[in-house]
Amino acid sequence: MDKPLSQYLDLNKPQNLAAYQNTGGYAGFANALKMQPQEVQQQVSDSKLKGRGGAGFMTGMKWSFVPMGDDAPKNKYLVCNADEMEPGTFKDRWLMEGAPHLLIEGMMIAAYAIGADVAYIFLRGEYRLCATRLQQAIDEAEAAGLLGDNINGSDYSLKLHLHTSAGRYICGEETALINALEGKRATPRAKPPFPQVVGLFGRPTIVNNCETLCNLPCILKNGAQWYTQLADSADTGSKIYGISGRVKNAGLWELPMGTTAREILDLSGGMQDGLKLRGWLPGGASTDFLLPEHLDTPMEYDAIAKAGSRMGTGVMIALDDKHCPVGMILNLLQFFAQESCGWCTPCRDGLPWAVEILTRIEHGLGTQDDIDALQKLCGFMWIGKTFCALAPGAVEPLRSGMQYFADDFQQHIDHKGCRHRH
Amino acid sequence: MAKIFIDNQQYTVKDGQNLLQASLSLKLDLPYFCWHPAMGSVGACRQCAMTQYQDENDTRGRMIVACMTPVSEGMRVSMQQPAEKEFRGQVIAALMTHHPHDCPVCAEGGECHLQDMTVMAGHHERQYKGKKTTFRNQDLGPLVKHEMNRCITCYRCERFYKDYAGGTDLAAQASKNNVYFGRQRDGTLESEFAGNLVEVCPTGVFTDKPFGDHYARKWDLQSAPSVCQHCSVGCNTSLSERYGSVRRVTNRFNEHLNAYFLCDRGRFGFSFVDSESRRLDVRLNGQLSSWSDTALSVKLKDKAKWIGIGSSQASLEDNFALQQLVGAENFNPGLDAQQETLLATHMAILNQWSAASLAEMEQADAIVILGEDINNSAPRIALALRQALLNKAREQAEKLRVPGWQDSAVRAILPHHPVPLAYIGYGDSNLAKQATISLVCDDKRAAEQGFLLANLLNERAPKPKVSKVDPHTLQLVEILKTAKRPLIVTGWSANNPALLAAAANIRKALKAVHSATASASDHDHAMLCIVPPEANTLSLGLLMEQDYLSADLLSEKLSAEKSNLMVLDHTAPAFSKRLDEWRKSAANVVRLSQLGAPDKDEVNLPLSSFSECSGSELNYQALIQSHLPATKPSGQCLPAWHWLVHIGKIRQQPLGDISDLGQLRELLSRSYPQLAAHFVDHHKTQLALQTPRVSGRTAMLANQTVHEPKPYGEADAPYKQSMEGALSGQDKTQPLAYSWSPGWNSNQSNHKFRDEYRGDGIDAQAGVFCVAGTQNNQWFKWQNNWSKSNKAQWQILPLQKVFGSDSLSLQALAIDQLKVPAQIVVSPGQAEKLGYVAGQIVYCDDNPTPLQLVVSPQVPANCVLVYVPADQLFDLQQCEALTLATAKQHEEYLAQAQQLREKQLTQKQAQRDKLLAQDQTIPIHFIEGVV
């Protein structure tokens, strides 16, 4: 099968510009430059590419809200969301370390399609190696005239900046990212206005996930039709899937959209010896737990939603039978409480409250009332009640965990402690 | 208007509002925190949750936050469903996880929005079992106290301080449930609007520090509707009293003037009434005397001619009584010759053009500030102008179908849609920094460019002597021609009548532009604002319309014929200097003063302060407003008009027939018939100055007696007040002495007393304007004698400071602590040439005032800017040489500053001790009704 993303990948020594071009790199951008921006948008719409950041919104649709034409504001921005901080997810890092030119080409295509003249990579601060390699690639592309004024003799110009984040999970939320990029506090903005109209520095802005952008070169090189045929699934194209937890070989694989979770688990060699799978999070910490019985679900947006969770980033976390689900949920919630931006009440004060209760339960100090209180907090922080999606995402493993692992919660209360601890 | 359904009840609400605004306007109780009527919505606290239904068949609905939801025709919502009620309770429970529950020791207790909302939302039992987050508090200076542990993270303080008021030294820091609102490090808050944090904060994070030092609960305070005395805006304030001393000033809502905010000079300046330099006794030649002293009445009955000197620091009634006593031809307004010209010009303009209210100015879409340092001369107007700068962004937001109250969106759009602001003049200020067009020049050149601008807009406008048009002025022509609501701002700061005339000419030119281009239905919406120096300057202008004795003639008269002087309240050193000159040739000097040490050869009659008597002022619009007293007069003090009536009595003059303030006002209304309407309303006033809590069950003076005295009422007042009274705010024609409504103990109760919070349109400004603004518009011709000619090395241009240029507030210890020491500002080029660096001490020629050197590019060529506090004399207008202080002089300067700081602290402690001691030994006979 074609591996349009990972074919360029070399984690030890990523391709330089010449090598990338020799293996077909920048051909997609060359094609794009021959088209009108709207035609590029159309091709991406036709490819039915969905955003790989977690929400799965149609990329072409997202772009279509950007004002185009002569009346549109003069400055527009493209931002790559590479602030990959979802616990258990490391796909963007893999792509950026292994194939920096692939992201740059993808960004050039997207920027051209929306008429942006400045683009930013908003990179997670801890991704030092990515930063080095991306900057090298940007310098190479600039030196070769691929970035800068009048690219390849066209009248299209693009300046690409690498921005390393100061490190907040909330910067994965696109409007908080924009605020951070402007030098403001990383809190989300109210929508409307959407960033496509009023975004970075008040200008139309598209924020796309790193993996989404990496999909663009092959679409522009081989066409939308080719792309839609990559996968036999409701969703199109190629996807970086992965799994972590106590499996034999945690890792990432590029697979067709809609590969089942079981295939991904099998690719990792299955659970480590002596351990059994108890549950799994399909795509990062902010998705609902699924059970072993759900393993045959194809990893596509609708199917996973039907099973009761979200596809998220598509990088799974496995929970085994020798580790405490309450402890795991506590660990996740501690992360989310720490990462709340502090803007809206349910998230800012609700998450630490949930952590406080979970901590007591985990240490054998919980009461029956605490279970009810936790349930109520799940409702308190659910969709529609908070300012952005952080707290509802944080609630997903909690509410599903309380449903699937209710016995474990009860045992902690009845036996005043965790059976996995000694 | 839109028809909406709340809990199946049909209501009609204004379009464009959000659901929270609409609900509160309907007097429904919906709890909220982060929303503020003047600051719009951000959706942070989630407290105002409601349920929205798609249609009448939808039974599930979805939760929304009301402040972020625009009302729409046919909308169906609920605020009584159990789900959202539970959610609102949960929000409070979550907010309160870290709140210290220290209400008994919190200065906000009893008027805390958080307390009110907690009760309203039904949260009553603490469920959170974890530890509370604790913070370190900061010392934020003498005005505002910081207690971060009480914070519920509503972001209002940051949004007010940074976004609304343009402050840069207070912000949200850190994240998660550890967000900290404060400065980077301890230090006095730099914004002159910092005091509003006290009212903006929904709980006790920011509290009024001077009030905290001499504290009483809101329910124990008796409040009087008052008017600020510290600049010409006439902000409405509420003056609160307990045990006979004034405790604090809070904002009193006036839609057209101050709305929700005051500046700190106005909020904290009142305590000059407790100053140790208050005059409390009748004195004759420096010795204690009394009204029955025959030596005193001999002097007062002296047969020689009496000349009266009025004061912009005294009320209209006081000045009028003096004018009546001495005759208009012997009434001098107490101004210098240049100020007399300024006032005459100002009145001539106000006779032709009405001045815009603050609410109107907030709607401007192009602003020209002509030679006026508005940030320092009238801070509240500057704050209104700052809000106008958002108008284009709001318009753009509406185009994108984003409501204008969606604050963060408007601010995101702002950088690309600025409102043009031209700053033509000198000096650094917040607005100078925001200017899109900036021309640094002296007052004369500013006025010339103003005249030229008027001429370019309309060729019939008179030209000045010069004809060189600055490119900035050319730019302005196009901007003003296309603007729908252009605003011209100027004032007295630069002491030049040419600026006033220029502004009036631009105003007239704009009228012609509009009638030429706009359709018949489109009115001329151009606006004008001229700022006089003091709270009551325009009262003098009104009285001068009859006749007056100019400063120049006064000197002549005094030397020609031995006369007596009757001098109303003045504290400015420049006036004292003039008076000392006159004193030499005067027979007797009688002074009626609030403050200052009495001279040894004069009669001194002590005056009640504004907090101790009724009185009226004319603000910058010539709008008459009256204040009521909160306390009894101190010592032997009386209002000036009352002393003057007594003098009239012993001299058997007609004024002596007056028996109370009402009669004086009737006499005043006969001379100025336009005032009658104002005072008629005043006569009908019947106020409840006390909260309903004081209802005969509580003992105000329980430390001495459980007898309940009748609350203090002004003697012979032309209005009625009782414990019951008309319930505060129920009658909209009457001033709201304090804001309170059942369940709404904080100032947020304001919305219970008006139709709605800040809608799109504003009602016409009610009240009586003493100058009609209806005379035919005239062009003003350029007059050379308006501007000073400069032949010296440097012309000295006057600068002002919020804390320093108002002499009354300098007697308030908290403001005195913030007083900016005298400064000289030179341009970077000049500084380099002289080899000076900022912070050095400099002297002008042989003037003894040490001036701290400031370097700024906002200094015109051949000029230096000098600011000297209002309590110091500095009468240089030009200077030949600057000299640097010697090391010894510098040392002395620093030592003096240090001494001053120490003295201020001692004084503050002494004043506090005095007031606290006074509370313990309340002289009961001071309170009416106690036998």
Side-chain angles (χ1 to χ4, degrees):
Chain A
M1 166 226 138
D2 285 313
K3 294 193 188 273
L5 276 58
S6 53
Q7 64 170 322
Y8 300 105
L9 213 70
D10 186 341
L11 287 171
N12 294 321
K13 191 173 178 297
Q15 287 181 326
N16 63 15
L17 178 62
Y20 180 67
Q21 279 176 319
N22 286 340
T23 46
Y26 288 106
F29 176 68
N31 286 347
L33 210 50
K34 288 179 213 146
M35 300 192 248
Q36 290 298 314
Q38 279 88 346
E39 292 174 314
V40 180
Q41 288 193 18
Q42 189 56 49
Q43 192 150 33
V44 173
S45 291
D46 293 345
S47 77
K48 299 189 183 134
L49 173 66
K50 282 184 177 174
R52 305 296 200 230
F57 194 75
M58 298 290 282
T59 304
M61 172 92 88
K62 191 175 195 175
W63 290 0
S64 69
F65 299 122
V66 175
M68 299 295 288
D70 295 340
D71 295 341
K74 287 208 173 53
N75 305 102
K76 291 184 241 177
Y77 296 99
L78 173 79
V79 180
C80 167
N81 184 349
D83 192 50
E84 188 177 48
M85 276 186 76
E86 184 66 35
T89 299
F90 40 100
K91 65 184 177 65
D92 296 342
R93 173 182 174 181
W94 200 53
L95 288 168
M96 288 184 286
E97 281 182 6
H101 277 291
L102 181 65
L103 174 61
I104 291 167
E105 186 187 355
M107 288 182 72
M108 288 162 69
I109 293 166
Y112 178 76
I114 60 164
D117 54 355
V118 176
Y120 290 91
I121 301 172
F122 190 94
L123 181 68
R124 179 174 173 185
E126 290 87 343
Y127 282 4
R128 299 258 173 97
L129 186 58
C130 292
T132 313
R133 290 182 175 178
L134 283 168
Q135 192 57 55
Q136 271 171 4
I138 292 169
D139 293 345
E140 275 184 303
E142 272 179 1
L146 278 165
L147 285 172
D149 293 337
N150 301 98
I151 298 169
N152 286 349
S154 70
D155 55 4
Y156 180 66
S157 304
L158 177 68
K159 182 82 191 144
L160 178 59
H161 302 279
L162 175 68
H163 175 95
T164 48
S165 164
R168 291 296 291 170
Y169 176 72
I170 192 63
C171 292
E173 204 284 341
E174 59 180 2
T175 56
L177 182 156
I178 287 171
N179 271 341
L181 201 48
E182 286 186 13
K184 296 176 179 159
R185 285 174 65 77
T187 50
R189 292 179 179 177
K191 290 174 271 192
F194 289 90
Q196 291 94 318
V197 185
V198 180
L200 187 61
F201 303 114
R203 293 302 197 197
T205 303
I206 284 290
V207 182
N208 279 145
N209 168 260
C210 169
E211 186 189 349
T212 314
L213 292 164
C214 288
N215 272 284
L216 297 174
C218 68
I219 296 174
L220 267 292
K221 192 168 130 193
N222 303 319
Q225 175 97 32
W226 170 85
Y227 188 79
T228 55
Q229 287 167 355
L230 280 177
D232 180 21
S233 155
D235 298 322
T236 62
S238 194
K239 173 83 186 85
I240 311 291
Y241 288 112
I243 189 165
S244 63
R246 285 176 175 74
V247 294
K248 287 206 174 88
N249 292 303
L252 298 163
W253 298 271
E254 184 180 4
L255 298 164
M257 257 298 185
T259 306
T260 63
R262 188 180 299 284
E263 285 175 75
I264 298 165
L265 181 60
D266 288 348
L267 277 169
S268 75
M271 299 303 288
Q272 289 175 8
D273 294 338
L275 298 180
K276 275 199 296 197
L277 183 70
R278 273 203 80 190
W280 51 287
L281 300 169
S286 61
T287 55
D288 290 275
F289 275 101
L290 292 177
L291 297 177
E293 69 201 53
H294 297 116
L295 273 177
D296 291 317
T297 315
M299 289 282 276
E300 56 189 41
Y301 293 97
D302 290 348
I304 295 288
K306 217 169 152 189
S309 184
R310 283 190 313 120
M311 163 102 143
T313 61
V315 186
M316 301 156 55
I317 303 175
L319 169 67
D320 60 79
D321 61 342
K322 295 281 165 63
H323 285 87
C324 175
V326 178
M328 176 176 175
I329 293 166
L330 170 60
N331 180 306
L332 295 177
L333 267 285
Q334 275 170 334
F335 170 82
F336 289 117
Q338 169 71 27
E339 291 301 328
S340 168
C341 76
W343 181 246
C344 77
T345 309
C347 177
R348 178 188 63 239
D349 292 325
L351 286 172
W353 196 341
V355 168
E356 188 270 331
I357 295 173
L358 279 168
T359 308
R360 273 190 288 110
I361 294 176
E362 174 67 0
H363 291 92
L365 301 167
T367 64
Q368 204 62 43
D369 290 347
D370 286 331
I371 301 286
D372 297 340
L374 268 183
Q375 296 280 14
K376 275 191 181 158
L377 278 171
C378 288
F380 178 52
M381 293 185 277
W382 194 233
I383 297 162
K385 296 177 179 171
T386 56
F387 194 86
C388 79
L390 192 152
V395 163
E396 286 180 29
L398 175 61
R399 62 161 198 173
S400 53
M402 288 182 76
Q403 178 194 341
Y404 291 138
F405 312 119
D407 290 351
D408 293 73
F409 279 85
Q410 199 55 50
Q411 275 174 1
H412 278 76
I413 286 160
D414 295 345
H415 300 291
K416 302 204 181 308
C418 176
R419 67 189 166 96
H420 298 283
R421 285 174 187 251
H422 303 290
Chain B
M1 302 300 274
K3 197 168 64 185
I4 66 169
F5 298 87
I6 302 177
D7 290 304
N8 292 321
Q9 175 88 35
Q10 184 182 318
Y11 298 95
T12 308
V13 298
K14 268 200 171 176
D15 292 322
Q17 287 183 312
N18 62 58
L19 189 54
L20 174 61
Q21 257 177 322
S23 304
L24 294 175
S25 299
L26 295 167
K27 312 289 176 251
L28 300 172
D29 285 343
L30 183 61
Y32 64 88
F33 290 107
C34 66
W35 178 79
H36 187 284
M39 299 194 284
S41 308
V42 291
C45 74
R46 321 305 280 177
Q47 184 63 66
C48 61
M50 290 172 76
T51 301
Q52 183 169 15
Y53 302 94
Q54 291 190 319
D55 51 47
E56 54 266 53
N57 301 320
D58 180 5
T59 51
R60 282 189 64 204
R62 70 184 180 96
M63 198 167 284
I64 50 165
V65 286
C67 73
M68 296 295 276
T69 309
V71 295
S72 58
E73 180 63 32
M75 167 183 234
R76 304 189 85 90
V77 290
S78 155
M79 59 172 79
Q80 294 304 335
Q81 292 296 317
E84 73 250 7
K85 277 174 103 167
E86 188 193 351
F87 178 73
R88 295 198 297 257
Q90 282 176 315
V91 171
I92 296 272
L95 289 173
M96 296 278 270
T97 50
H98 300 291
H99 192 75
H101 296 73
D102 61 343
C103 305
V105 294
C106 175
E108 194 82 358
E111 54 177 325
C112 175
H113 187 60
L114 176 60
Q115 283 181 335
D116 291 346
M117 297 301 101
T118 303
V119 173
M120 192 178 293
H123 168 74
H124 54 85
E125 196 183 320
R126 186 171 165 79
Q127 293 129 355
Y128 179 70
K129 299 192 179 85
K131 284 187 179 164
K132 293 176 181 181
T133 311
T134 52
F135 298 95
R136 181 187 162 277
N137 302 321
Q138 292 181 322
D139 178 359
L140 299 177
L143 305 182
V144 179
K145 190 168 177 245
H146 193 220
E147 181 61 58
M148 243 321 277
N149 288 343
R150 296 178 185 141
C151 181
I152 55 159
T153 327
C154 71
Y155 290 86
R156 266 184 172 196
C157 55
E158 185 199 31
R159 292 181 56 227
F160 171 78
Y161 197 90
K162 261 173 68 182
D163 297 344
Y164 195 91
T168 52
D169 61 325
L170 180 130
Q173 296 157 61
S175 63
K176 54 174 181 150
N177 63 346
N178 198 35
V179 180
Y180 186 87
F181 298 93
R183 284 169 48 87
Q184 197 238 343
R185 55 173 65 117
D186 286 36
T188 302
L189 287 169
E190 288 162 12
S191 168
E192 62 271 30
F193 300 104
N196 291 298
L197 294 176
V198 173
E199 292 192 52
V200 163
C201 175
T203 178
V205 178
F206 299 99
T207 51
D208 183 326
K209 214 179 228 179
F211 178 49
D213 285 344
H214 190 207
Y215 180 75
R217 289 287 181 211
K218 180 180 179 179
W219 62 69
D220 284 330
L221 292 170
Q222 171 167 318
S223 302
S226 190
V227 176
C228 183
Q229 303 289 307
H230 303 293
C231 86
S232 65
V233 175
C235 290
N236 290 191
T237 57
S238 185
L239 199 59
S240 300
E241 168 276 356
R242 173 77 167 153
Y243 288 159
S245 57
V246 186
R247 301 302 175 97
R248 67 166 176 185
V249 158
T250 45
N251 186 68
R252 182 161 65 89
F253 185 85
N254 180 315
E255 187 183 8
H256 303 282
L257 296 174
N258 46 304
Y260 299 90
F261 307 114
L262 299 174
C263 76
D264 290 354
R265 187 156 98 188
R267 185 181 299 271
F268 300 101
F270 73 90
S271 69
F272 74 86
V273 305
D274 292 321
S275 158
E276 60 181 25
S277 58
R278 263 303 287 283
R279 293 189 185 181
L280 301 174
D281 319 294
V282 177
R283 281 180 186 261
L284 176 60
N285 299 336
Q287 301 302 311
L288 281 180
S289 176
S290 75
W291 183 247
S292 49
D293 189 342
T294 40
L296 184 83
S297 45
V298 166
K299 281 206 174 240
L300 292 175
K301 283 196 282 192
D302 192 273
K303 292 282 186 242
K305 180 199 272 294
W306 282 88
I307 293 172
I309 301 180
S311 167
S312 53
Q313 237 167 256
S315 71
L316 172 63
E317 291 86 343
D318 294 345
N319 279 297
F320 174 72
L322 181 61
Q323 192 193 36
Q324 289 293 307
L325 191 74
V326 298
E329 70 284 3
N330 295 317
F331 176 77
N332 170 277
L335 305 172
D336 67 25
Q338 182 79 347
Q339 287 172 328
E340 282 171 5
T341 318
L342 275 159
L343 187 49
T345 317
H346 196 154
M347 294 305 285
I349 295 171
L350 280 179
N351 269 311
Q352 301 170 21
W353 303 102
S354 55
S357 69
L358 271 68
E360 286 165 338
M361 286 194 257
E362 277 188 13
Q363 303 198 328
D365 61 354
I367 303 171
V368 180
I369 301 177
L370 201 61
E372 177 66 15
D373 182 7
I374 193 88
N375 281 95
N376 287 303
S377 62
R380 185 62 189 83
I381 291 183
L383 189 62
L385 297 185
R386 191 181 153 78
Q387 309 322 311
L389 300 181
L390 288 168
N391 284 337
K392 298 249 177 191
R394 278 207 193 95
E395 251 173 55
Q396 179 63 19
E398 307 262 345
K399 273 186 207 158
L400 298 170
R401 297 194 190 162
V402 177
W405 40 255
Q406 220 255 62
D407 192 58
S408 54
V410 171
R411 288 182 194 279
I413 292 168
L414 181 62
H416 305 295
H417 298 273
V419 165
L421 168 66
Y423 195 89
I424 302 173
Y426 57 85
D428 264 327
S429 69
N430 198 314
L431 282 169
K433 286 188 187 78
Q434 310 260 328
T436 56
I437 296 176
S438 181
L439 175 61
V440 180
C441 61
D442 63 18
D443 50 302
K444 186 181 174 202
R445 192 164 156 224
E448 284 167 352
Q449 292 303 314
F451 267 79
L452 285 169
L453 177 58
N455 178 262
L456 288 166
L457 288 164
N458 182 329
E459 56 190 21
R460 294 157 89 176
K463 279 190 181 178
K465 277 270 162 69
V466 295
S467 57
K468 189 168 170 276
V469 181
D470 194 276
H472 294 96
T473 311
L474 272 181
Q475 240 180 307
L476 266 177
V477 175
E478 281 318 302
I479 289 171
L480 291 181
K481 270 187 179 165
T482 49
K484 291 193 195 83
R485 294 178 304 278
L487 167 67
I488 318 297
V489 179
T490 189
W492 292 37
S493 292
N495 220 11
N496 191 341
L499 289 167
L500 276 55
N505 281 358
I506 300 171
R507 176 68 190 84
K508 180 168 164 65
L510 285 172
K511 185 185 180 188
V513 167
H514 273 263
S515 52
T517 56
S519 61
S521 63
D522 203 0
H523 295 299
D524 164 27
H525 289 304
M527 293 178 276
L528 182 65
C529 165
I530 303 174
V531 181
E534 298 208 58
N536 210 10
T537 307
L538 294 188
S539 273
L540 298 172
L542 184 71
L543 296 177
M544 281 159 66
E545 286 187 348
Q546 305 246 331
D547 191 6
Y548 72 100
L549 179 65
S550 72
D552 293 343
L553 279 176
L554 194 158
S555 306
E556 277 175 35
K557 257 196 176 172
L558 271 179
S559 44
E561 175 188 1
K562 199 78 175 165
S563 310
N564 300 308
L565 288 178
M566 177 85 66
V567 187
L568 273 189
D569 193 32
H570 277 275
T571 46
F575 179 82
S576 304
K577 197 185 164 201
R578 288 209 297 281
L579 183 62
D580 287 343
E581 275 305 307
W582 292 328
R583 206 192 283 277
K584 287 175 195 159
S585 36
N588 292 300
V589 178
V590 177
R591 296 193 69 177
L592 299 94
S593 305
Q594 298 182 75
L595 295 157
D599 201 89
K600 61 182 180 347
D601 54 352
E602 58 185 22
V603 173
N604 279 279
L605 301 174
L607 289 193
S608 306
S609 287
F610 81 110
S611 61
E612 301 167 346
C613 63
S614 280
S616 307
E617 287 82 29
L618 265 59
N619 81 345
Y620 73 101
Q621 303 173 285
L623 171 78
I624 183 168
Q625 301 191 103
S626 300
H627 60 262
L628 299 187
T631 63
K632 280 215 155 217
S634 312
Q636 298 177 345
C637 294
L638 284 180
W641 66 266
H642 214 147
W643 284 122
L644 293 166
V645 163
H646 282 316
I647 295 169
K649 268 198 180 80
I650 60 170
R651 286 202 212 148
Q652 297 176 333
Q653 278 177 274
L655 187 67
D657 299 338
I658 299 287
S659 64
D660 63 26
L661 183 60
Q663 289 183 8
L664 181 72
R665 284 175 171 172
E666 272 170 34
L667 188 61
L668 180 60
S669 302
R670 280 203 291 280
S671 305
Y672 301 93
Q674 68 268 43
L675 299 182
H678 173 74
F679 289 126
V680 161
D681 270 355
H682 215 211
H683 270 296
K684 288 191 294 192
T685 302
Q686 182 168 337
L687 293 168
L689 303 181
Q690 293 194 314
T691 56
R693 164 84 164 66
V694 181
S695 59
R697 294 189 305 276
T698 55
M700 289 172 71
L701 304 166
N703 54 340
Q704 296 154 58
T705 169
V706 289
H707 183 95
E708 175 77 359
K710 185 170 171 251
Y712 167 66
E714 189 179 15
D716 305 323
Y719 59 92
K720 296 190 187 100
Q721 78 114 101
S722 70
M723 203 188 297
E724 292 80 22
L727 185 58
S728 214
Q730 293 299 31
D731 179 348
K732 277 206 277 177
T733 61
Q734 304 197 350
L736 192 62
Y738 60 91
S739 188
W740 180 88
S741 181
W744 296 79
N745 296 292
S746 78
N747 57 355
Q748 309 287 318
S749 51
N750 199 35
H751 73 270
K752 295 288 178 193
F753 306 109
R754 51 202 74 261
D755 291 343
E756 58 174 0
Y757 267 125
R758 192 177 143 129
D760 281 340
I762 36 169
D763 297 333
Q765 192 175 6
V768 171
F769 294 88
C770 298
V771 187
T774 51
Q775 283 179 14
N776 279 344
N777 317 128
Q778 304 291 329
W779 293 115
F780 286 83
K781 291 218 174 71
W782 180 264
Q783 292 183 28
N784 276 332
N785 60 352
W786 277 343
S787 309
K788 293 177 293 273
S789 57
N790 177 34
K791 296 187 188 76
Q793 176 82 7
W794 287 299
Q795 189 189 348
I796 294 178
L797 303 177
L799 270 190
Q800 299 192 31
K801 297 283 173 200
V802 175
F803 304 121
S805 296
D806 168 63
S807 54
L808 281 183
S809 61
L810 284 185
Q811 299 290 330
L813 293 176
I815 299 293
D816 191 39
Q817 281 184 291
L818 296 174
K819 179 171 85 174
V820 182
Q823 283 181 355
I824 182 165
V825 188
V826 302
S827 68
Q830 289 167 325
E832 202 187 335
K833 230 173 172 177
L834 293 161
Y836 290 177
V837 290
Q840 286 179 320
I841 303 302
V842 173
Y843 295 91
C844 282
D845 296 343
D846 53 359
N847 189 289
T849 312
L851 302 164
Q852 198 163 36
L853 189 86
V854 176
V855 180
S856 155
Q858 295 284 108
V859 182
N862 306 323
C863 296
V864 291
L865 317 180
V866 171
Y867 148 80
V868 175
D871 54 2
Q872 276 173 259
L873 179 67
F874 186 88
D875 51 5
L876 288 187
Q877 294 185 346
Q878 48 197 28
C879 114
E880 287 296 346
L882 300 177
T883 36
L884 215 50
T886 61
K888 189 165 166 258
Q889 282 172 322
H890 200 131
E891 239 168 63
E892 276 170 16
Y893 175 86
L894 293 176
Q896 270 178 13
Q898 182 58 30
Q899 273 172 15
L900 182 68
R901 275 195 293 277
E902 282 161 16
K903 188 179 147 216
Q904 283 166 340
L905 291 177
T906 328
Q907 273 182 331
K908 216 170 165 179
Q909 190 57 42
Q911 188 183 85
R912 190 180 166 202
D913 291 347
K914 187 187 89 183
L915 290 169
L916 289 173
Q918 185 183 310
D919 293 350
Q920 292 310 309
T921 54
I922 286 290
I924 290 186
H925 61 267
F926 264 35
I927 310 280
E928 275 179 51
V930 175
V931 185

